[in-house]
Amino acid sequence: MEERNLDLVARNEDTRDKFHTEVIRFELDQILQHFAETIQAINAQFDVADELFESGKVIERENIWRAQIIFLASALDFYMHELTKYGLCEIYDENWDRTDKYENL
């Protein structure tokens, strides 16, 4: 079996500037709309859970409830992420004043 060289070696090329990606930005009303749509989709799963219960599939209904909790946490995480990104971009674009915490990034 051939042995792999796992030594830490300095890279010869600078790749930092090769992959410039554009930040996808949403306006505040879009951020709230995305969150509201996700909450509606999560709420719609209550109907599915009720149908499963009526057909005797109690475990499946409980799995739907667990999934709803996970989706809710994910929706809140995305909402907070987008709000934070919005604020950082506003500061970067000099529409908002810089803060001490922004300067420490």
Side-chain angles (χ1 to χ4, degrees), residues 62-99:
E62 291 172 354
N63 287 337
I64 293 288
W65 289 344
R66 285 184 193 94
Q68 284 176 297
I69 292 169
I70 292 168
F71 292 146
L72 182 58
S74 176
L76 182 59
D77 179 64
F78 182 76
Y79 180 71
M80 295 304 296
H81 170 82
E82 288 301 314
L83 285 178
T84 301
K85 184 173 71 173
Y86 179 86
L88 289 172
C89 289
E90 287 296 303
I91 293 172
Y92 181 80
D93 291 342
E94 298 180 350
N95 295 326
W96 292 0
D97 293 334
R98 291 176 178 247
T99 64

Side-chain angles (χ1 to χ4, degrees), residues 32-58:
L32 183 59
Q33 179 183 352
H34 292 158
F35 182 71
E37 289 169 355
T38 304
I39 296 301
Q40 286 176 338
I42 292 168
N43 281 332
Q45 295 305 307
F46 281 113
D47 294 336
V48 175
D50 291 342
E51 290 174 15
L52 289 170
F53 179 71
E54 291 169 4
S55 63
K57 297 180 178 179
V58 176

